[in-house]
């Protein structure tokens, strides 16, 4: 897409704090229409229905990155085995809260609340940050996720030990 037109995000909800509410997303650059996507761009969506989303159509400007991102996202949140979905979403919400992404934090916090049925605990994470008091298992998951986010070498044996003490295994 060359000479992309800048559009005003007129219907964008602008929260004053981290929230579990659904936030609108309006691109600052006009994405291609679904009909304008190339075959490679459609392939990079992995799920063709994503062509209905301006978010994914904008990301399709770089189909190789979009495909890698989408496959990683689907594997992280929908694969069998590993952490329960609630705790995967908790980790993503914590990372988003830590790095300041209000939009991503709202998405993952909403899913964490839905799957864990622990809305107050998730809201405390959003309100107070990643240091907010949680039970030991959630604290261990949050701490490990933040360590991996800051820099993977910050994640160490002490995080693995804490995760194991909280009941997680390989």
């Amino acid at each position: 897409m060359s000479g992309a037109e800048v559009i005003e995000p007129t219907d964008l909800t602008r929260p004053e704090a981290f929230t579990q509410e659904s936030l609108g997303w309006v691109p600052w650059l006009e994405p291609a229409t679904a009909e304008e996507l190339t075959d490679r761009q459609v392939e990079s969506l992995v799920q063709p229905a994503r062509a209905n989303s301006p978010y994914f159509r904008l990301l399709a400007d770089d189909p190789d990155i979009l495909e890698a991102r989408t496959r990683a996202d689907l594997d992280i949140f929908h694969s069998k085995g590993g952490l329960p979905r609630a705790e995967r979403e908790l980790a993503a919400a914590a990372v988003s809260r830590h790095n300041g992404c209000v939009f991503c934090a709202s998405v993952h916090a909403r899913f964490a609340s839905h799957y864990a049925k622990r809305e107050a605990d998730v809201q405390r994470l959003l309100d107070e940050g990643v240091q907010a008091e949680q039970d030991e298992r959630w604290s261990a998951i949050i701490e490990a996720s933040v360590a991996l986010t800051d820099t993977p070498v910050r994640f160490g044996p002490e995080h693995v030990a804490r995760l194991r003490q909280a009941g997680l295994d390989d």
Side-chain angles (χ1 to χ4, degrees):
M1 197 167 64
S2 62
E5 176 187 338
V6 175
I7 58 174
E8 287 298 315
T10 55
D11 63 347
L12 180 64
T13 300
R14 297 175 191 273
E16 294 186 22
F18 285 90
T19 180
Q20 294 187 56
E21 297 297 315
S22 181
L23 303 177
W25 186 87
V26 177
W28 289 76
L29 301 174
E30 187 67 41
T33 66
E35 296 75 29
E36 293 171 330
L37 294 174
T38 66
D39 290 344
R40 174 65 187 116
Q41 289 173 313
V42 171
E43 177 185 304
S44 74
L45 296 169
V46 181
Q47 298 170 328
R50 291 179 180 217
N52 297 322
S53 164
Y55 173 78
F56 286 105
R57 290 195 315 269
L58 187 62
L59 293 179
D61 277 352
D62 192 325
D64 293 336
I65 290 175
L66 173 58
E67 184 172 359
R69 172 246 177 256
T70 301
R71 291 190 185 285
D73 180 74
L74 291 172
D75 191 45
I76 289 166
F77 294 107
H78 300 284
S79 65
K80 297 200 184 314
L83 288 177
R85 176 78 184 268
E87 291 173 343
R88 296 175 196 210
E89 296 291 353
L90 170 69
V95 165
S96 298
R97 175 61 173 88
H98 181 65
N99 69 26
C101 185
V102 174
F103 182 81
C104 292
S106 74
V107 171
H108 295 295
R110 216 169 30 260
F111 279 124
S113 285
H114 170 77
Y115 287 108
K117 310 291 187 235
R118 293 175 58 176
E119 186 174 343
D121 293 328
V122 173
Q123 191 59 49
R124 189 169 46 261
L125 165 69
L126 296 178
D127 292 343
E128 299 175 23
V130 297
Q131 299 301 322
E133 187 174 325
Q134 302 287 350
D135 66 34
E136 180 54 29
R137 183 177 174 103
W138 273 31
S139 291
I141 291 168
I142 291 167
E143 181 183 53
S145 300
V146 168
L148 285 166
T149 297
D150 283 343
T151 177
V153 297
R154 188 172 151 237
F155 179 84
E158 68 278 10
H159 296 100
V160 174
R162 186 170 183 199
L163 290 166
R164 286 189 175 137
Q165 287 172 347
L168 285 84
D169 62 24
D170 293 346

